[in-house]
Amino acid sequence: MDKFEISSNALEIAISGSPGDWVVAETNGAKYTIGSLLPNSFLAYARVFHPVYLGDQEVKWAKVAHRNGTVAHPLMQWESITGSWRYSRGDTQHDVWDECPSVGSLPVSQAKRLAHLLARHTSTVDECWFAVWSGFGGLEARWGHAPRVAMPRREMMLLSGPLPAAARSVEDSPGDQRANLWWPDDQAWCLVTDIDLMTTYVGGSPECIASITTDSALEAMPVLVDQGITLDSDKVNPQPSGSYNDAG
């Protein structure tokens, strides 16, 4: 059994916030771009789409786009491929999916798969850092004394542990929230799931990113660090008419 498989899954409060200094210093892209979420120093980046579900079955965004006559591409947005704001507010397309993508937390199956892939691209599998947004109300009792990482848009609480801990929830049951930002001690790559987004971004070497974008268990596409992350970033599929608030 390899080192990755036998590592403990424990998460602990970091001794200081200094391991996050490089992330803060190198996350300096224009507002609402990938570079505003991740260090800009990597040679390649990927966008990982959180799956939707039909019962217990994972469904990829590409299938949803096909169902709606829209185009799957690296900058697609959920509202644009479904064609309606209401599909972010509880409505479903029961012939394709009945649970929309998770927002702000990487699903456990994707977290496990990404951790497995990323383990091949770091020399510090047992020494990793996990940051979680300090604004989550249910985390104060458990992690409130954690040192802070002053990310440009979100102050984070810093935890440490081995890479497999990425799949662990930082909330007590029945909560299910994974860390928003993680990286190995050797800084070989970095991953972020912003609290407002249905997708996760990863920066790393070209080889690292290729292992993610070609993995059949994930729906991931290569992106550029200066590309947008907002609803209007999809220039291929039109936004639905009206606004998000109209779907209430």
Side-chain angles (χ1 to χ4, degrees):
M1 186 176 293
D2 64 25
K3 191 175 183 180
F4 177 79
E5 295 294 341
I6 64 176
S7 293
S8 167
N9 283 343
L11 281 172
E12 299 179 350
I13 291 177
I15 295 175
S16 78
S18 60
D21 290 349
W22 76 280
V23 183
V24 175
E26 297 183 16
T27 302
N28 51 22
K31 193 174 183 180
Y32 303 127
T33 64
I34 296 167
S36 69
L37 302 178
L38 281 175
N40 289 215
S41 53
F42 293 112
L43 295 179
Y45 295 83
R47 185 183 183 200
V48 182
F49 299 88
H50 300 176
V52 294
Y53 295 88
L54 183 61
D56 295 331
Q57 179 183 1
E58 292 183 357
V59 178
K60 295 182 177 180
W61 288 33
K63 184 172 183 178
V64 176
H66 180 75
R67 156 67 169 76
N68 290 287
T70 51
V71 179
H73 66 99
L75 298 185
M76 62 179 161
Q77 296 294 320
W78 178 248
E79 292 78 8
S80 293
I81 66 167
T82 58
S84 176
W85 299 106
R86 71 179 187 272
Y87 294 131
S88 297
R89 300 291 291 269
D91 284 6
T92 65
Q93 295 178 310
H94 293 293
D95 57 331
V96 180
W97 60 276
D98 52 26
E99 182 181 341
C100 67
S102 64
V103 177
S105 183
L106 187 61
V108 64
S109 60
Q110 276 67 43
K112 287 180 177 179
R113 186 58 186 164
L114 281 166
H116 185 78
L117 294 173
L118 292 169
R120 304 170 186 172
H121 299 277
T122 176
S123 61
T124 57
V125 169
D126 285 336
E127 296 179 74
C128 293
W129 304 97
F130 303 91
V132 60
W133 182 47
S134 60
F136 287 127
L139 302 183
E140 185 65 26
R142 185 175 182 184
W143 307 115
H145 296 296
R148 266 42 178 184
V149 177
M151 290 298 288
R153 297 179 59 226
R154 316 281 189 203
E155 182 185 71
M156 304 275 186
M157 299 182 289
L158 188 60
L159 314 176
S160 64
L163 183 51
R168 294 289 297 272
S169 174
V170 295
E171 287 185 321
D172 293 328
S173 182
D176 187 33
Q177 173 67 50
R178 263 151 293 290
N180 300 106
L181 186 69
W182 21 297
W183 67 92
D185 195 59
D186 64 5
Q187 303 174 8
W189 46 260
C190 190
L191 176 151
V192 65
T193 307
D194 185 80
I195 65 169
D196 288 332
L197 300 184
M198 296 177 170
T199 59
T200 289
Y201 294 94
V202 188
S205 68
E207 296 77 15
C208 173
I209 297 307
S211 73
I212 293 171
T213 58
T214 59
D215 189 82
S216 62
L218 300 170
E219 184 177 26
M221 300 183 188
V223 288
L224 302 176
V225 71
D226 60 353
Q227 289 179 315
I229 59 174
T230 53
L231 295 178
D232 59 359
S233 299
D234 188 342
K235 306 301 184 184
V236 177
N237 304 300
Q239 278 194 37
S241 60
S243 69
Y244 177 83
N245 292 328
D246 296 335

